């Protein structure tokens, strides 16, 4: 195998590694974002319920 072919193969391998790494990071970050957004929505719902309960209890007292 000549040096030129070896260099071309190495450049291709590095490019594929870089593309795979970028897609992996995007996939991981997307999953983290989706998880945190679901947790935040649940926190907001819980907060609204707590405020409603607090408001109704204060009205009766």
């Amino acid at each position: 195998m000549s040096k030129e072919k070896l260099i071309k193969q190495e450049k291709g391998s590095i490019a594929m590694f870089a593309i795979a790494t970028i897609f992996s990071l995007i996939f991981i970050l997307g999953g983290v974002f989706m998880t945190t957004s679901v947790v935040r929505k649940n926190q907001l719902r819980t907060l609204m319920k707590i405020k409603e309960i607090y408001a109704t209890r204060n009205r009766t007292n």
Side-chain angles (χ1 to χ4, degrees), residues 7-8 14 16 23 25 32 40 43 46 49 54 58:
I7 290 173
K8 285 182 183 178
I14 292 170
M16 288 302 294
F23 281 123
L25 288 174
V32 169
R40 182 66 182 144
Q43 287 175 343
T46 304
K49 288 179 185 176
Y54 184 76
N58 280 341

Side-chain angles (χ1 to χ4, degrees), residues 30-60:
V32 169
F33 175 76
M34 294 299 289
T35 303
T36 54
S37 65
V38 168
V39 168
R40 182 66 182 144
K41 284 180 186 177
N42 287 336
Q43 287 175 343
L44 290 174
R45 277 191 218 123
T46 304
L47 180 63
M48 292 303 291
K49 288 179 185 176
I50 290 170
K51 285 182 178 182
E52 287 175 11
I53 292 170
Y54 184 76
T56 56
R57 286 190 180 176
N58 280 341
R59 283 185 208 150
T60 57

